[in-house]
Every structure is written in C-alpha cells, then in structure tokens.
Amino acid sequence: MLTTLKQIVQEVSRTPGLDAALNRLVTLVKAAMEVDSCSIYLANYDKQHLVLTATNGLDPEAVGKVCIGFSEGLIGLVGQREEPLNIENAHEHPRFKHYPEVKEEEYNAFLGTPIIYQRKVLGVMTMQQKDMRRFSPDEEAFLVTLATQIALEIANADMLGELIQSESLALPSGPKTVNGVPGANGLAMGIGFGWNQQVLLSNLVNRRHQNEAYEIIAYRDAVDITRAEVKQLSAGLDESLPDDIKAIFTMYDQLLDASSLGREVEQQIKQGWNAATSLKIVIENYAARFKAMQDPYMQERAVDIIDLSNRILGYILNPTKQARQFPDKPFILVATEITASMLAECPSDMLKGVISIHGSQNSHAAILARALGVPAIMGISSVLPSLLDNKMLLIDGYAGAITIAPEPQQAREFKHLINEEQLLYAKIDALGNEPSITQDQHEMHLYVNTGLAVKHDLADNDNIKGVGLFRTEIPFMQSDHFPPEQEQYELYRSILQVNPDKDITMRTLDVGGDKPLSYLPIVEDNPFLGWRGIRLTLDQPEIFLVQARAMIRASEDFTNLQIMLPMITTIAEVKEAKRLLKQAFFEVKEESNDPHSTLMMPRLGIMLEVPAVVYQLPQLAKLVDFFSVGTNDLTQYLLAVDRNNPRVSSLYNSFHPSVLAVLQTIATQANTLHKPITVCGELAGDPAGAVLLMAMGYQKLSMNAYNIRKINWVVRSIQLQQAQQLLSEVMQLEDASDVKSRVDAFLETHGLGGLVRAGG
Ligand code: PEP
Ligand code: MG
C-alpha cells in the first residue's frame, strides 16, 4: 500500500496545474482502491462552501458547479469535525443531503476525510461505493494518509496558481498578500530581485508560452551548448576515474543525441508549455520510469538524467550565463536562503528589504537583516522566489506580510507609513548620542553585536560601551577556506585598535546549526542538537588553537580583548577550553621573545544558551570572568522549538513565561555571584524585551548597531521603577501573547508604539 501511495503522490505532484493534478489523483485513487467513485471538494472561505473540484465516478458535469455549505451534508460534516467519516449507508445518515446534480443516488458506502494544512481545512476527499458496506480500516488509513500528503501540494498550488494565473494570462493582476514570519521590523517597498540562484527542475514553476517557435529554438540552443559542455567535460576526464563515472558522460552524450528526447520536449512545447516546463514534464516522466525499474543501477540513473536536464535548464533560462546585475532602483532581495555573502554583495543604498523563503524569526539570515536595519520576512515556503522577481513588493516586517503588485492607492498609503517611520527614526537618531539613562537616573550599558562591519558599527556611536558579541564565524563563512592565523590576527587586531578603551568580546567560532561552512560540510539529522560551537572546536583543537592564538597575538599592547565560548553545556568544556587558551597564550608569549611583553591573558566568558548551565551557575562562575545570555538559542532549547523552522515559528517566543522566568533566575543569580552579565541575544535589541530585561536586573545589553539608538530611546523614555512594576505584572500572565500585548501597551503609553508596529 505504501508503494501505491508513494506512486500516486509522485505522479500527482508531477502533473502540471492543480485541476489536472486533482483529476489525475481521483482517477488513480479510484483505480488503486477499486472503489466506484473518488472526489475532491475544495474549500472557498470567502463563500463559506466546498466546491466539487474533481471527480471520477460522480457526474463530471457537476464539477465547479456543486457547492456545499460548510455546515451542510456529509461533506460539510467531515470539514467541520476535521476527522474522517466512514459510513455504510450514506442515505440513512441524519446529515445526508441530496444533491441531484452529482448523481450519487446509487452510492451507499461513504468514506470522507478532510484535507488539512497547518490547521486549516483545504477541502474534503471522498470515496464512495455502490455496495452497502463499511470501508476497511486499511482503506480509511490510506485515504487519511493520502490527504495529509496531498495537502501540501494543494496549499502550494493554491498560492502558486493564483500568482501564475494572473501572470501568464497577463491579467491586470490584483494585489496578493502572502504571510510569512516577521524577521526584522520595518517597512519597505521596492522591486523584487530574485537572487540568481540555480533554478532546478524540481523548483521550476510551470508556465505557458506566447511564442512556440521561439521556445523551440531556445530549447535546441540550450541542448547544443550543453552538448558542447558535456563533450568538453568528458574530454578532460582523468583516466584514473572509475569506469562508471566515465559511463555517465557517455550516457549523457547518447541522451542528448537521442532524437526521442528532443521530439518529446518539442511535443510539449507544441501543447503550449514553455521550453523549461516542457523539459521538466518530459524528464520527470523519464526519471520516474527509471526509478520504478527493479535494477538498482537503473534506478540510480534517474539522478543522472535529472542532473543533465538541470544543465540544459540552466541554459534555457540564462543562455549566456551573464553576471549578476542588480537593479538600479530600490529593491527587495528574494532568495531561498539569504546568506551573509549575498547581503555583502548587494548595493546597500538600493537594498531595502529581504525575503527569505526558508528560515524563521531568529535564523541567522534574520539576525543579519536586523543588523543592516533592513526589514525582513522569513519562511514563506509556499512561494517560489521566481514569482516575486521583478514585481512591486510592499513588505511589513512588523507583521510579516508581503503585498505583491499593490494597487497605486495601497502603495501611496504604504509610502506614507514609510515616511512616518523615517521621521520617527530621525527623531531617535537625533538623541542617539545622549547617555542611556532612565528617567529615574538608572544607567544602562549598551554594547554592539557585530560580525560584518565591525569598525563601522563601533565608530558609529559614542554611547556604545563596546562590542558585546563579535560573531567571528561570519568572516569564516565569507571565506572558502579556514582563514589562516595571520589573516585572523590582522582582522582581530584592526578591531581591537579601533577603540582601545572599549571592551571587545570575541566569540570563538560558532558554526554548525544554521551556520554552515562550505569547506566543512556537516550532515546531521538534528544540526541544532549536534556538532555546534564549542563542541566542534574542542573536537578540532587545531581550529580552536589557531583562532585563540590569533586573538591573543592581536591583543598585544591592548587590554580590551574578552574571549567568549559559545554553546557551553558542561563544566568540562570550560576547563578544556581554558587549557587550550592557556596553551595558546604561553605559545604566543614564548614566541614573542620580548622580555617586556605586556601580553595579558584575556578575560574569559561563556554564553548561557543551553538550559543545562542555568543550574550550574555557581560552579561556572568560579571558572570564568563573565556570562552572556544568548536568548536566541536559550529560547530554542528551552521551548524545544527549532529557531529556523517556520512551521513552529508561532511557538518560538522569548516572551514565553518560562523563558522569562529563566532569564529572571539567571539575572538574580549572576548578581548574587557578582559575576558581570550581558544579554547578547536578539531579545536585548527588542524594545519590549529590553524593558523586561532591565527590570530583571540586567544592566548590560548587547544588540546590533541599528537597534542601539532605538533601545537608547526606550531607556531614556521610561523609569526603571515603571519597568519593574510592569515585569511583576507580566510574570503573572500565562501566555507569551498576553505578555507581549501588555508590554506593547506599556510602550504605547510611553510614546514608543512606533517601534513595534507600522506607523509613527
Ligand atoms: C544566541 O543564541 O542568542 C546568540 C547570541 O548566538 P547566535 O544567535 O549567534 O547563535
Ligand atoms: Mg547562540
């Protein structure tokens, strides 16, 4: 049964167009389950009814015409109850309602199951049979499983369908709104700029063409270029390569020469699909046939066929493989996964916002966007980047909403909100260098989190006390190899000397999780619970020692270096890291050969981001000079929610009462232990978060340079005593959303509402 199920899902997902795919689905299910009819009804929430969208068995004339109210009949009941309904004789059920148009009089047995995606009923799928009988548990399980798998296809198709239809029919496409996860606050408008990522057959959107002859030529040209490329590659193959690798190239050659492939693709073009889509349709069929073969060798060849076709596709879409050209007007960067190097490459005066298809509110892409002060939306997995390319986009980073192709009036109103926001920020900036003192004279120390433009971030503001977190992994991620010691030394020294009076906290390499190094691929089932941060660098002491030596050497003549260890879970890790740091220190000291060397062992701190350490603070305090709370990971690990996964993003919330309770415990204990403590997670740079943290007793907050002025303004606008009163109130609340609303209301009453929602 599992194989049948898989085959059905695969075949349906390969069928272009939602209607055709659903028709295929009902036909396949009817045949596989040997039932008399299979039908799908899709929900229309505006009209509050379910529409018969595909059927094999009921009257095809009724498709698109029969609409069943959400609370009507058996179909409505399945949707309402959100569970399967299996009955022997439908006609006898009290909820049975007769729809003469579908001609179901002769059917008795009925099995219906809802199609649900992310808690929303998208439709209902049914099977019916003439015999009076109950469907078996296996049949029920089959339909439920199939509905679950098909739900994602329908959700995607729904979104894509709407967008593509308006595009390919060149309709005066109305605005569309897509919701994602808020990644960085702020409003932005601009033209969507899809990063010229490799489009693969698997993520290609099916499109129709306007000009058949043009598409045929485009296809033939792409094949010619690919053939030349393959010839060149195979000519350059090393003799020592295994025969099966050489055989792949021979097969590529044969495939490209096979007139059947070209004929089939051109056949699809003649049916109205563009060259890329035609290739996709033909190749996915080929690949499916290979995958279905018994011989594992032949099954594997499916991969080769797809690989070859992706090459052809690349040339269809971009025949000359031109270099990236950025728009010369304001744009919103759209990519499957936003990386630091992408952001670094974008012209900063034109980059107005960021949309990352993957990721969630505290993915590193979102953190980078916040550091640059550009609004960001994350996790819109139902949309392909290419659909936002070249469209006018309005993005609301507070709400996580994107408006595609807005009406002129909508765009004007949005522009008005952007202007209000700019005025607010001008006001905040004007006070940027005023000391961070509350209205009841309590001083807060604001530090900067940095990684991309350290010197710029530090130089920007006299009010910044230093660097609370230098994410050293960012330069590592921008390189294509481990930066050698001398290169690291030069970078670290240039940072320490920008302002020798300000503490610079350099965190040792924190890669793993969602921070990959291209030259150290790590494949793990659970990367966030895996080989990350200090775990990796202690296992590879050569990496740790090179970095430690570079930092220590860089600190010669300075006293402002602090080293911080990420992802500490055990006391043993701290001890081992201290041992390596001492080794690096003595090596450097010995090598300097200078009897007057003033080199000092840097102060050492640890990140508190793994919940386990919260229960060992007294022991840890004896080993280190300071603590720094990483609320991003602490929230993720305390709530068991992947910070990168948009499916569970509504659960990831640092205002969860348990997270607040832990943060309160840490502050109280650290203050009792007289151990300096900073918060360097994103919560510190969030206006609502900063208010609660200062009330808990944190005096040092570290955040990106962009947020410093905002938080300075918050600090200067309130009294610590009011914040403490607020904290004692919110600690009684049960839900993160209640806490957030209460703190937002507090900000509103203090004239700070413009920091947490659109509008001045
Ligand atoms: C954190 O986890 O809060 C933190 C500051 O580290 P990062 O976001 O780099 O994991
Ligand atoms: Mg962290």
Side-chain angles (χ1 to χ4, degrees), residues 676-733:
I677 184 150
T678 310
V679 178
C680 66
E682 292 295 295
L683 193 65
D686 176 294
V691 170
L692 296 183
L693 290 169
M694 54 194 277
M696 288 176 190
Y698 291 99
Q699 277 182 295
K700 298 180 178 188
L701 301 180
S702 191
M703 63 206 73
N704 66 56
Y706 186 76
N707 278 341
I708 289 221
R709 287 164 192 266
K710 273 202 269 184
I711 299 302
N712 189 31
W713 193 49
V714 172
V715 170
R716 293 180 55 80
S717 306
I718 61 169
Q719 293 181 6
L720 178 63
Q721 206 200 346
Q722 294 166 329
Q724 285 164 339
Q725 169 62 31
L726 172 75
L727 178 68
S728 63
E729 269 176 53
V730 301
M731 286 307 222
Q732 311 301 320
L733 299 175

Short mmCIF file of all heavy atoms in Angstrom, two decimals, residues 676-733:
data_model
loop_
_atom_site.label_atom_id
_atom_site.label_comp_id
_atom_site.label_asym_id
_atom_site.label_seq_id
_atom_site.Cartn_x
_atom_site.Cartn_y
_atom_site.Cartn_z
N PRO A 676 29.76 39.70 36.26
CA PRO A 676 29.21 40.57 35.21
C PRO A 676 28.39 39.76 34.21
O PRO A 676 28.80 38.66 33.82
CB PRO A 676 30.45 41.15 34.54
CG PRO A 676 31.54 41.01 35.55
CD PRO A 676 31.20 39.79 36.38
N ILE A 677 27.27 40.29 33.81
CA ILE A 677 26.40 39.55 32.89
C ILE A 677 25.82 40.49 31.83
O ILE A 677 25.44 41.62 32.13
CB ILE A 677 25.29 38.79 33.64
CG1 ILE A 677 24.48 37.96 32.64
CG2 ILE A 677 24.37 39.71 34.43
CD1 ILE A 677 23.90 36.71 33.22
N THR A 678 25.79 40.00 30.61
CA THR A 678 25.24 40.75 29.48
C THR A 678 24.15 39.89 28.85
O THR A 678 24.19 38.66 28.99
CB THR A 678 26.35 40.95 28.41
OG1 THR A 678 27.51 41.45 29.06
CG2 THR A 678 25.94 41.89 27.31
N VAL A 679 23.23 40.52 28.14
CA VAL A 679 22.35 39.72 27.27
C VAL A 679 22.74 40.09 25.85
O VAL A 679 22.73 41.28 25.48
CB VAL A 679 20.86 40.05 27.50
CG1 VAL A 679 19.99 39.24 26.53
CG2 VAL A 679 20.46 39.75 28.93
N CYS A 680 23.10 39.10 25.04
CA CYS A 680 23.52 39.43 23.68
C CYS A 680 22.61 38.78 22.63
O CYS A 680 22.86 38.87 21.44
CB CYS A 680 24.97 39.06 23.43
SG CYS A 680 25.28 37.30 23.48
N GLY A 681 21.54 38.11 23.08
CA GLY A 681 20.58 37.56 22.12
C GLY A 681 19.70 38.68 21.58
O GLY A 681 19.73 39.81 22.09
N GLU A 682 18.90 38.33 20.61
CA GLU A 682 18.08 39.36 19.92
C GLU A 682 17.08 40.05 20.85
O GLU A 682 16.64 41.16 20.58
CB GLU A 682 17.34 38.71 18.76
CG GLU A 682 18.25 38.26 17.64
CD GLU A 682 18.96 39.43 16.96
OE1 GLU A 682 18.29 40.25 16.34
OE2 GLU A 682 20.20 39.50 17.08
N LEU A 683 16.73 39.39 21.95
CA LEU A 683 15.75 39.99 22.87
C LEU A 683 16.24 41.33 23.41
O LEU A 683 15.43 42.23 23.68
CB LEU A 683 15.47 39.01 24.02
CG LEU A 683 14.27 39.32 24.90
CD1 LEU A 683 12.97 39.20 24.09
CD2 LEU A 683 14.21 38.37 26.10
N ALA A 684 17.57 41.45 23.54
CA ALA A 684 18.12 42.69 24.11
C ALA A 684 17.87 43.89 23.19
O ALA A 684 17.77 45.03 23.65
CB ALA A 684 19.62 42.51 24.34
N GLY A 685 17.77 43.64 21.90
CA GLY A 685 17.57 44.74 20.95
C GLY A 685 16.12 44.95 20.58
O GLY A 685 15.80 45.74 19.70
N ASP A 686 15.25 44.21 21.27
CA ASP A 686 13.81 44.33 21.01
C ASP A 686 13.26 45.28 22.07
O ASP A 686 13.49 45.07 23.27
CB ASP A 686 13.21 42.92 21.16
CG ASP A 686 11.72 42.90 21.02
OD1 ASP A 686 11.01 43.49 21.87
OD2 ASP A 686 11.24 42.29 20.06
N PRO A 687 12.54 46.32 21.68
CA PRO A 687 12.10 47.30 22.68
C PRO A 687 11.36 46.66 23.85
O PRO A 687 11.64 46.96 25.01
CB PRO A 687 11.20 48.24 21.87
CG PRO A 687 11.68 48.12 20.47
CD PRO A 687 12.17 46.71 20.32
N ALA A 688 10.44 45.72 23.54
CA ALA A 688 9.69 45.09 24.63
C ALA A 688 10.61 44.22 25.48
O ALA A 688 10.51 44.20 26.72
CB ALA A 688 8.56 44.24 24.05
N GLY A 689 11.53 43.52 24.82
CA GLY A 689 12.47 42.66 25.54
C GLY A 689 13.38 43.47 26.44
O GLY A 689 13.61 43.12 27.60
N ALA A 690 13.90 44.58 25.90
CA ALA A 690 14.85 45.39 26.67
C ALA A 690 14.21 45.91 27.95
O ALA A 690 14.84 45.91 29.01
CB ALA A 690 15.36 46.54 25.80
N VAL A 691 12.95 46.32 27.87
CA VAL A 691 12.27 46.85 29.06
C VAL A 691 12.21 45.77 30.14
O VAL A 691 12.52 46.02 31.31
CB VAL A 691 10.85 47.33 28.68
CG1 VAL A 691 10.04 47.64 29.93
CG2 VAL A 691 10.92 48.54 27.78
N LEU A 692 11.85 44.54 29.74
CA LEU A 692 11.73 43.48 30.74
C LEU A 692 13.10 43.08 31.29
O LEU A 692 13.26 42.85 32.48
CB LEU A 692 11.03 42.25 30.14
CG LEU A 692 9.57 42.47 29.71
CD1 LEU A 692 8.96 41.17 29.20
CD2 LEU A 692 8.73 43.02 30.87
N LEU A 693 14.10 43.05 30.40
CA LEU A 693 15.44 42.63 30.86
C LEU A 693 16.00 43.63 31.87
O LEU A 693 16.58 43.26 32.88
CB LEU A 693 16.39 42.50 29.65
CG LEU A 693 16.09 41.31 28.73
CD1 LEU A 693 16.90 41.40 27.44
CD2 LEU A 693 16.39 39.99 29.44
N MET A 694 15.82 44.93 31.59
CA MET A 694 16.37 45.89 32.55
C MET A 694 15.63 45.79 33.88
O MET A 694 16.24 45.92 34.94
CB MET A 694 16.42 47.31 31.98
CG MET A 694 15.17 47.86 31.43
SD MET A 694 15.49 49.36 30.46
CE MET A 694 15.54 50.53 31.76
N ALA A 695 14.34 45.49 33.81
CA ALA A 695 13.59 45.34 35.06
C ALA A 695 14.08 44.12 35.84
O ALA A 695 14.06 44.11 37.07
CB ALA A 695 12.11 45.19 34.73
N MET A 696 14.57 43.10 35.13
CA MET A 696 15.05 41.90 35.82
C MET A 696 16.39 42.12 36.50
O MET A 696 16.84 41.28 37.28
CB MET A 696 15.23 40.76 34.80
CG MET A 696 13.94 40.19 34.29
SD MET A 696 14.33 38.96 33.02
CE MET A 696 12.71 38.66 32.35
N GLY A 697 17.08 43.18 36.13
CA GLY A 697 18.37 43.46 36.77
C GLY A 697 19.55 43.36 35.82
O GLY A 697 20.70 43.41 36.25
N TYR A 698 19.29 43.18 34.53
CA TYR A 698 20.40 43.20 33.56
C TYR A 698 20.77 44.65 33.30
O TYR A 698 19.89 45.46 32.99
CB TYR A 698 19.98 42.54 32.24
CG TYR A 698 19.76 41.05 32.34
CD1 TYR A 698 18.48 40.53 32.48
CD2 TYR A 698 20.84 40.17 32.29
CE1 TYR A 698 18.27 39.16 32.57
CE2 TYR A 698 20.63 38.79 32.37
CZ TYR A 698 19.36 38.30 32.52
OH TYR A 698 19.16 36.94 32.61
N GLN A 699 22.06 44.95 33.40
CA GLN A 699 22.48 46.34 33.13
C GLN A 699 23.21 46.47 31.81
O GLN A 699 23.42 47.56 31.33
CB GLN A 699 23.40 46.81 34.25
CG GLN A 699 22.62 47.30 35.45
CD GLN A 699 23.54 47.80 36.53
OE1 GLN A 699 24.31 47.02 37.09
NE2 GLN A 699 23.50 49.10 36.77
N LYS A 700 23.64 45.33 31.27
CA LYS A 700 24.36 45.37 30.00
C LYS A 700 23.54 44.64 28.95
O LYS A 700 23.22 43.46 29.12
CB LYS A 700 25.71 44.67 30.13
CG LYS A 700 26.65 45.29 31.12
CD LYS A 700 27.91 44.48 31.11
CE LYS A 700 28.94 45.08 32.06
NZ LYS A 700 30.23 44.41 31.92
N LEU A 701 23.25 45.34 27.88
CA LEU A 701 22.52 44.74 26.79
C LEU A 701 23.34 44.91 25.52
O LEU A 701 23.87 45.99 25.27
CB LEU A 701 21.15 45.41 26.60
CG LEU A 701 20.20 45.39 27.80
CD1 LEU A 701 18.88 46.10 27.47
CD2 LEU A 701 19.91 43.95 28.25
N SER A 702 23.43 43.85 24.74
CA SER A 702 24.21 43.93 23.51
C SER A 702 23.31 43.61 22.32
O SER A 702 22.57 42.63 22.34
CB SER A 702 25.38 42.95 23.57
OG SER A 702 26.27 43.22 22.52
N MET A 703 23.39 44.45 21.30
CA MET A 703 22.45 44.32 20.17
C MET A 703 23.10 44.87 18.91
O MET A 703 24.17 45.49 19.01
CB MET A 703 21.20 45.13 20.48
CG MET A 703 21.48 46.61 20.62
SD MET A 703 20.31 47.45 21.67
CE MET A 703 20.78 46.90 23.28
N ASN A 704 22.46 44.71 17.77
CA ASN A 704 23.09 45.24 16.57
C ASN A 704 23.07 46.77 16.60
O ASN A 704 22.26 47.39 17.29
CB ASN A 704 22.43 44.68 15.31
CG ASN A 704 21.00 45.14 15.16
OD1 ASN A 704 20.72 46.33 15.13
ND2 ASN A 704 20.09 44.19 15.06
N ALA A 705 24.00 47.36 15.85
CA ALA A 705 24.20 48.81 15.92
C ALA A 705 22.93 49.56 15.56
O ALA A 705 22.65 50.64 16.08
CB ALA A 705 25.33 49.20 14.96
N TYR A 706 22.17 48.96 14.69
CA TYR A 706 20.96 49.61 14.23
C TYR A 706 19.95 49.77 15.37
O TYR A 706 19.25 50.76 15.47
CB TYR A 706 20.38 48.77 13.10
CG TYR A 706 19.22 49.40 12.44
CD1 TYR A 706 19.41 50.44 11.54
CD2 TYR A 706 17.94 48.97 12.72
CE1 TYR A 706 18.33 51.04 10.94
CE2 TYR A 706 16.86 49.57 12.12
CZ TYR A 706 17.06 50.60 11.22
OH TYR A 706 15.99 51.20 10.64
N ASN A 707 19.91 48.77 16.25
CA ASN A 707 18.93 48.83 17.35
C ASN A 707 19.38 49.68 18.52
O ASN A 707 18.57 50.05 19.37
CB ASN A 707 18.65 47.41 17.87
CG ASN A 707 17.64 46.70 17.00
OD1 ASN A 707 16.91 47.34 16.24
ND2 ASN A 707 17.60 45.39 17.08
N ILE A 708 20.70 49.98 18.59
CA ILE A 708 21.19 50.69 19.77
C ILE A 708 20.46 52.01 19.99
O ILE A 708 20.03 52.33 21.09
CB ILE A 708 22.72 50.92 19.65
CG1 ILE A 708 23.39 49.57 19.81
CG2 ILE A 708 23.20 51.96 20.65
CD1 ILE A 708 24.62 49.53 20.63
N ARG A 709 20.27 52.75 18.91
CA ARG A 709 19.62 54.06 19.07
C ARG A 709 18.17 53.90 19.54
O ARG A 709 17.68 54.67 20.35
CB ARG A 709 19.66 54.84 17.76
CG ARG A 709 21.05 55.36 17.47
CD ARG A 709 21.19 55.79 16.03
NE ARG A 709 22.59 56.00 15.74
CZ ARG A 709 23.21 57.17 15.82
NH1 ARG A 709 22.54 58.25 16.15
NH2 ARG A 709 24.48 57.28 15.55
N LYS A 710 17.53 52.87 19.00
CA LYS A 710 16.13 52.63 19.40
C LYS A 710 16.07 52.31 20.89
O LYS A 710 15.24 52.85 21.62
CB LYS A 710 15.60 51.39 18.65
CG LYS A 710 15.03 51.69 17.31
CD LYS A 710 14.06 50.58 16.90
CE LYS A 710 14.73 49.50 16.13
NZ LYS A 710 13.86 48.45 15.63
N ILE A 711 16.95 51.41 21.33
CA ILE A 711 16.89 50.99 22.74
C ILE A 711 17.32 52.15 23.65
O ILE A 711 16.78 52.34 24.74
CB ILE A 711 17.74 49.71 22.96
CG1 ILE A 711 17.21 48.57 22.10
CG2 ILE A 711 17.76 49.31 24.43
CD1 ILE A 711 15.74 48.19 22.31
N ASN A 712 18.25 52.94 23.15
CA ASN A 712 18.65 54.13 23.92
C ASN A 712 17.43 55.03 24.14
O ASN A 712 17.19 55.55 25.23
CB ASN A 712 19.74 54.87 23.14
CG ASN A 712 20.36 55.99 23.96
OD1 ASN A 712 20.44 55.88 25.18
ND2 ASN A 712 20.76 57.06 23.30
N TRP A 713 16.65 55.15 23.12
CA TRP A 713 15.46 56.00 23.19
C TRP A 713 14.45 55.40 24.18
O TRP A 713 13.85 56.11 24.98
CB TRP A 713 14.85 56.12 21.78
CG TRP A 713 13.83 57.19 21.64
CD1 TRP A 713 13.94 58.48 22.04
CD2 TRP A 713 12.53 57.04 21.07
NE1 TRP A 713 12.79 59.16 21.74
CE2 TRP A 713 11.90 58.30 21.13
CE3 TRP A 713 11.83 55.99 20.47
CZ2 TRP A 713 10.63 58.55 20.65
CZ3 TRP A 713 10.56 56.23 19.99
CH2 TRP A 713 9.96 57.49 20.07
N VAL A 714 14.31 54.08 24.13
CA VAL A 714 13.41 53.40 25.07
C VAL A 714 13.88 53.67 26.50
O VAL A 714 13.10 54.08 27.36
CB VAL A 714 13.37 51.87 24.80
CG1 VAL A 714 12.59 51.13 25.88
CG2 VAL A 714 12.78 51.58 23.42
N VAL A 715 15.18 53.43 26.74
CA VAL A 715 15.72 53.61 28.10
C VAL A 715 15.44 55.03 28.59
O VAL A 715 14.99 55.25 29.71
CB VAL A 715 17.25 53.32 28.09
CG1 VAL A 715 17.89 53.73 29.42
CG2 VAL A 715 17.52 51.86 27.80
N ARG A 716 15.69 56.00 27.71
CA ARG A 716 15.54 57.41 28.11
C ARG A 716 14.07 57.83 28.29
O ARG A 716 13.79 58.86 28.87
CB ARG A 716 16.21 58.31 27.05
CG ARG A 716 17.73 58.14 27.01
CD ARG A 716 18.35 59.02 25.96
NE ARG A 716 17.97 60.43 26.17
CZ ARG A 716 18.55 61.23 27.05
NH1 ARG A 716 19.54 60.80 27.79
NH2 ARG A 716 18.14 62.48 27.17
N SER A 717 13.17 57.00 27.76
CA SER A 717 11.75 57.40 27.82
C SER A 717 11.00 56.84 29.02
O SER A 717 9.84 57.14 29.21
CB SER A 717 11.02 56.94 26.56
OG SER A 717 11.67 57.39 25.43
N ILE A 718 11.64 55.93 29.77
CA ILE A 718 10.88 55.29 30.86
C ILE A 718 11.63 55.39 32.19
O ILE A 718 12.80 55.79 32.24
CB ILE A 718 10.62 53.79 30.55
CG1 ILE A 718 11.96 53.03 30.41
CG2 ILE A 718 9.79 53.62 29.30
CD1 ILE A 718 11.79 51.53 30.37
N GLN A 719 10.94 54.99 33.25
CA GLN A 719 11.60 54.87 34.56
C GLN A 719 11.83 53.38 34.84
O GLN A 719 10.95 52.57 34.54
CB GLN A 719 10.69 55.43 35.64
CG GLN A 719 10.47 56.91 35.54
CD GLN A 719 9.57 57.40 36.68
OE1 GLN A 719 9.20 56.66 37.59
NE2 GLN A 719 9.21 58.67 36.60
N LEU A 720 12.96 53.08 35.45
CA LEU A 720 13.23 51.67 35.78
C LEU A 720 12.12 51.13 36.69
O LEU A 720 11.65 50.00 36.54
CB LEU A 720 14.59 51.54 36.48
CG LEU A 720 14.95 50.12 36.91
CD1 LEU A 720 15.08 49.20 35.71
CD2 LEU A 720 16.24 50.09 37.72
N GLN A 721 11.69 52.00 37.57
CA GLN A 721 10.66 51.58 38.52
C GLN A 721 9.36 51.17 37.80
O GLN A 721 8.71 50.18 38.17
CB GLN A 721 10.39 52.76 39.44
CG GLN A 721 9.88 52.38 40.77
CD GLN A 721 9.18 53.58 41.41
OE1 GLN A 721 9.33 54.73 40.96
NE2 GLN A 721 8.44 53.31 42.44
N GLN A 722 9.02 51.90 36.74
CA GLN A 722 7.81 51.54 35.97
C GLN A 722 8.02 50.18 35.29
O GLN A 722 7.12 49.37 35.21
CB GLN A 722 7.53 52.59 34.90
CG GLN A 722 7.16 53.94 35.47
CD GLN A 722 7.24 55.02 34.40
OE1 GLN A 722 8.05 54.95 33.47
NE2 GLN A 722 6.40 56.04 34.54
N ALA A 723 9.25 49.99 34.78
CA ALA A 723 9.53 48.72 34.10
C ALA A 723 9.42 47.57 35.10
O ALA A 723 8.92 46.49 34.77
CB ALA A 723 10.93 48.77 33.48
N GLN A 724 9.89 47.80 36.32
CA GLN A 724 9.83 46.73 37.34
C GLN A 724 8.38 46.41 37.70
O GLN A 724 8.00 45.25 37.88
CB GLN A 724 10.61 47.16 38.60
CG GLN A 724 12.11 47.07 38.35
CD GLN A 724 12.94 47.82 39.38
OE1 GLN A 724 12.44 48.72 40.06
NE2 GLN A 724 14.21 47.46 39.47
N GLN A 725 7.58 47.45 37.77
CA GLN A 725 6.15 47.25 38.05
C GLN A 725 5.51 46.41 36.93
O GLN A 725 4.77 45.45 37.16
CB GLN A 725 5.49 48.64 38.17
CG GLN A 725 3.98 48.66 38.20
CD GLN A 725 3.44 47.92 39.41
OE1 GLN A 725 4.08 47.88 40.46
NE2 GLN A 725 2.29 47.28 39.24
N LEU A 726 5.88 46.78 35.68
CA LEU A 726 5.37 46.05 34.52
C LEU A 726 5.79 44.58 34.59
O LEU A 726 5.00 43.67 34.36
CB LEU A 726 5.92 46.69 33.23
CG LEU A 726 5.65 45.95 31.94
CD1 LEU A 726 4.18 46.12 31.53
CD2 LEU A 726 6.55 46.45 30.81
N LEU A 727 7.08 44.36 34.92
CA LEU A 727 7.58 42.99 34.99
C LEU A 727 6.80 42.17 36.01
O LEU A 727 6.40 41.03 35.74
CB LEU A 727 9.07 42.99 35.35
CG LEU A 727 9.71 41.61 35.50
CD1 LEU A 727 9.79 40.90 34.15
CD2 LEU A 727 11.11 41.70 36.11
N SER A 728 6.55 42.76 37.18
CA SER A 728 5.84 41.95 38.18
C SER A 728 4.43 41.63 37.70
O SER A 728 3.91 40.55 37.99
CB SER A 728 5.85 42.63 39.55
OG SER A 728 5.16 43.84 39.47
N GLU A 729 3.86 42.51 36.89
CA GLU A 729 2.53 42.19 36.33
C GLU A 729 2.63 41.06 35.30
O GLU A 729 1.85 40.11 35.34
CB GLU A 729 1.98 43.40 35.58
CG GLU A 729 1.15 44.34 36.38
CD GLU A 729 0.78 45.52 35.49
OE1 GLU A 729 0.26 45.31 34.39
OE2 GLU A 729 1.07 46.67 35.91
N VAL A 730 3.59 41.18 34.37
CA VAL A 730 3.60 40.18 33.29
C VAL A 730 4.04 38.80 33.77
O VAL A 730 3.69 37.80 33.17
CB VAL A 730 4.44 40.61 32.05
CG1 VAL A 730 3.94 41.89 31.47
CG2 VAL A 730 5.90 40.65 32.34
N MET A 731 4.78 38.77 34.87
CA MET A 731 5.20 37.47 35.40
C MET A 731 4.00 36.65 35.88
O MET A 731 4.11 35.46 36.11
CB MET A 731 6.22 37.63 36.53
CG MET A 731 7.59 38.03 36.03
SD MET A 731 8.20 36.92 34.75
CE MET A 731 9.88 36.71 35.21
N GLN A 732 2.86 37.31 36.05
CA GLN A 732 1.64 36.58 36.48
C GLN A 732 0.87 36.04 35.27
O GLN A 732 -0.08 35.29 35.42
CB GLN A 732 0.66 37.52 37.23
CG GLN A 732 1.28 38.35 38.34
CD GLN A 732 1.90 37.47 39.40
OE1 GLN A 732 1.33 36.44 39.75
NE2 GLN A 732 3.09 37.83 39.87
N LEU A 733 1.24 36.45 34.07
CA LEU A 733 0.45 36.08 32.89
C LEU A 733 0.79 34.66 32.42
O LEU A 733 1.87 34.15 32.72
CB LEU A 733 0.67 37.09 31.76
CG LEU A 733 0.26 38.53 32.10
CD1 LEU A 733 0.62 39.48 30.98
CD2 LEU A 733 -1.25 38.60 32.40
#
